[in-house]
Amino acid sequence: MALKRTPLYENHRRAGARLVEFAGWEMPVQYEGILAEHAMVRERAGVFDVSHMGQVEVRGAGAIERLQWVTANDVASLADGGAQYSLLLTADGGIVDDVIVYRLSAERLLVCVNAANREADVAFLREHLSGVDIDDRSDELALLAVQGPLATSLLAPLTSVEIAAVPSFCFVEAEVAGRSTLAARTGYTGEDGWELYCAADDAPAIWDAMLEAGAAVGVGPAGLGARDTLRLEAALPLYGHEIDLETAPFEARLGWVVKLDKGEFLAREALLRRREQGATRRLIGIEVVKGGVPRQGYPLLAGGRRVGELTSGTRSPTLGKGIALGYVEPQSARVGVDLGVEIRGREVPAKVVSLPFYRRPGRSEK
Amino acid sequence: MEFPDDLKYSREHEWVLVEGDIATIGISAFAEDQLGDVVFVELPAPGDTVSKDDAMGVVESVKAVSDVYAPISGKVTEVNDDLPDNTELVNDDPYGDGWMVKVEISDPAELDDLMDSEEYQRFVAEADG
């Protein structure tokens, strides 16, 4: 099957991107190099094409109550212009996807979903939500992100409305480079930044305008490679790695997303039961100082015994050491515990550390 | 991308510089470019014996893990000690400061199996197809 291409495919080719398959899409994994792009985002800002992400609009009278039924977070707590991280949960409490819900109005909610889960999500929503329209807008919409400490100052002069005062996890309708967007102060890098939803046809003009403005301040395009190392340093989960249908939110450090007191919802009974039973495994972060790069699938060891497995790992460009997320038995999950990680048949020392691995300067603990 | 004429190349993308009975070994510009930013290097120890086509080390980039194969057999006389703490040398200067090991060649006939620069460029063009 032919890979799908975003409206910025030609822009990526011209920029010298290395294009790879990701979730059925031909996407830029890097331009200059993952480490350079990672540092650029942490120190200045980077511009990402994440148009592979899907967008599903839930529309109609009762949209909030309907979406409330299949999500973990409290949709009713959103005001117009508000966004929240949430989970689509099955009746068993398994995670169908992790999403961001944007409230456009009381009768219009935009759900941003992972590219790989788009079709499953739409089917899940259609199965469980009746009386509202489930409109898959993924093909008509593009999604660009600008992330990093300079993101807001870069974007502001290109934007028709004042954006600096927009709080985190809020959005405004704004023209960027003269094109209509929904400009949301959200992201997946651990930095301040914006995600811009726009018509697919408008994406190249916005992309070019951001890169033109960025060139003067050392801001350029960043690929999915840097996006992955950035999100991992920020300990943000990636569907298919840290979370999936078998994962309960509590064991994945996502208990804060679940609002059990929001009223009845599909997964509520299962979640109460699973919470009662207690988690059989917990998501932890480890650091590995030497002996190789910890990676997905590598066993975690305690006293030579296998106690879990890594779900994502890399060498942290910011910290200069190996970092990884993984699941272990609860008794091995305490910060400070010495574990081992098996790298190419050899046990290498690892330590359980507090998460996130990286927190941007000036940002207080949650 | 450069492939110096004075080097020989393996199908696993190592290069070999022969000086007397000593072979200096590294990975080619094609290999480091395909890997991307190298962040970890593991090399054999001086005194180790390596055998042609066997894994003798590991390079890891942000995205990938790759074995380094011995392009010839012999005894390791020297390793590039700068490399583990300065892995970017593999990307910045693959044929120079990014060298990996020096090996005392045990069977010079094995060198005949390696490609010259021109042959290797054709090989890479096909692999990159």
Side-chain angles (χ1 to χ4, degrees):
Chain A
M1 198 178 74
L3 295 176
K4 287 181 274 194
R5 293 174 173 175
T6 79
L8 296 167
Y9 175 80
E10 292 300 334
N11 302 63
H12 301 322
R13 300 253 327 198
R14 283 198 295 275
R18 178 168 297 174
L19 295 154
V20 300
E21 190 275 339
F22 181 81
W25 291 75
E26 194 170 1
M27 296 298 293
V29 65
Q30 65 170 56
Y31 303 83
E32 291 300 312
I34 294 173
L35 296 181
E37 292 159 29
H38 183 107
M40 176 177 75
V41 173
R42 287 275 182 256
E43 292 162 13
R44 302 182 298 279
V47 180
F48 298 82
D49 175 15
V50 283
S51 299
H52 60 303
M53 305 281 291
Q55 293 82 29
V56 184
E57 191 170 319
V58 178
R59 197 166 42 220
I64 292 170
E65 293 73 26
R66 296 297 196 285
L67 195 58
Q68 194 79 305
W69 177 249
V70 290
T71 54
N73 212 332
D74 184 5
V75 188
S77 70
L78 284 176
D80 287 355
Q84 70 185 184
Y85 180 76
S86 194
L87 305 166
L88 300 181
L89 297 175
T90 66
D92 296 330
I95 301 173
V96 178
D97 202 359
D98 66 333
V99 302
I100 295 183
V101 177
Y102 299 87
R103 177 169 153 165
L104 306 174
S105 73
E107 300 191 355
R108 287 184 66 201
L109 298 157
L110 189 68
V111 184
C112 184
V113 306
N114 283 297
N117 294 337
R118 169 184 165 189
E119 281 161 24
D121 291 351
V122 169
F124 174 78
L125 291 171
R126 292 209 168 119
E127 180 186 347
H128 290 286
L129 307 189
S130 56
V132 285
D133 289 332
I134 309 294
D135 184 7
D136 183 354
R137 299 182 61 192
S138 307
D139 290 335
E140 67 183 87
L141 293 177
L143 179 56
L144 313 187
V146 54
Q147 300 276 304
L150 299 186
T152 300
S153 63
L154 181 84
L155 190 59
L158 304 174
T159 307
S160 61
V161 302
E162 190 63 49
I163 59 163
V166 175
S168 179
F169 275 89
C170 287
F171 66 91
V172 289
E173 285 179 32
E175 282 188 8
V176 176
R179 315 287 170 136
S180 298
T181 74
L182 188 157
R185 204 159 193 170
T186 51
Y188 194 52
T189 60
E191 298 296 333
D192 182 27
W194 296 83
E195 293 181 298
L196 306 174
Y197 296 83
C198 63
D201 289 346
D202 289 337
I206 296 169
W207 174 264
D208 287 344
M210 287 199 287
L211 289 181
E212 199 171 307
V217 289
V219 171
L224 294 189
R227 184 172 154 89
D228 190 48
T229 53
L230 290 159
R231 72 92 192 166
L232 187 47
E233 284 185 344
L236 297 169
L238 175 59
Y239 197 90
H241 290 246
E242 284 69 45
I243 51 177
D244 57 27
L245 272 174
E246 310 302 319
T247 314
F250 307 116
E251 60 195 31
R253 302 172 50 90
L254 294 173
W256 66 274
V257 185
V258 181
K259 303 292 160 38
L260 288 168
D261 55 0
K262 73 174 183 175
E264 281 302 313
F265 61 101
L266 181 62
R268 189 166 184 275
E269 293 307 314
L271 292 175
L272 286 169
R273 200 168 57 240
R274 288 173 86 151
R275 195 177 61 168
E276 187 102 341
Q277 289 163 350
T280 56
R281 57 176 195 158
R282 287 192 187 286
L283 188 70
I284 57 161
I286 59 156
E287 273 182 10
V288 175
V289 175
K290 57 177 184 185
V293 180
R295 296 181 190 273
Q296 182 193 7
Y298 289 4
L300 279 161
L301 310 169
R305 188 173 62 90
R306 186 183 175 123
V307 291
E309 187 175 300
L310 299 182
T311 50
S312 295
T314 193
R315 181 180 157 85
S316 161
T318 307
L319 305 175
K321 50 190 161 192
I323 58 169
L325 296 171
Y327 283 98
V328 289
E329 301 170 350
Q331 59 268 32
S332 297
R334 277 192 328 281
V335 169
V337 167
D338 288 311
L339 296 175
V341 56
E342 191 181 315
I343 301 181
R344 293 183 285 278
R346 219 162 40 198
E347 183 173 344
V348 167
K351 188 179 280 292
V352 181
V353 296
S354 62
L355 293 174
F357 302 103
Y358 166 87
R359 184 178 276 116
R360 71 177 184 260
R363 188 158 194 232
S364 57
E365 300 217 11
K366 204 162 28 194
Chain B
M1 208 175 284
E2 282 183 54
F3 302 103
D5 286 337
D6 56 341
L7 305 180
K8 291 184 168 294
Y9 300 86
S10 74
R11 303 173 77 84
E12 299 289 351
H13 306 288
E14 290 82 21
W15 57 260
V16 180
L17 173 68
V18 180
E19 293 169 303
D21 59 353
I22 300 294
T24 305
I25 298 166
I27 66 169
S28 75
F30 176 79
E32 62 80 11
D33 182 69
Q34 288 287 306
L35 279 167
D37 295 320
V38 172
V39 295
F40 179 80
V41 176
E42 191 171 273
L43 300 173
D48 285 358
T49 301
V50 298
S51 302
K52 183 175 185 299
D53 299 333
D54 283 358
M56 66 168 187
V58 175
V59 281
E60 297 197 47
S61 66
V62 178
K63 299 294 276 185
V65 183
S66 181
D67 284 323
V68 180
Y69 294 91
I72 50 147
S73 306
K75 189 180 190 178
V76 177
T77 60
E78 207 180 322
V79 302
N80 186 348
D81 291 328
D82 292 337
L83 226 41
D85 291 328
N86 301 279
T87 53
E88 70 282 0
L89 293 173
V90 177
N91 297 110
D92 294 347
D93 193 8
Y95 304 115
D97 291 341
W99 70 277
M100 292 181 172
V101 298
K102 291 182 194 287
V103 168
E104 196 176 83
I105 301 167
S106 61
D107 180 4
E110 287 178 354
L111 294 168
D112 297 340
D113 293 344
L114 300 173
M115 291 173 269
D116 66 20
S117 172
E118 204 174 300
E119 290 170 320
Y120 180 63
Q121 284 181 61
R122 274 202 303 274
F123 176 73
V124 159
E126 282 165 28
D128 209 17

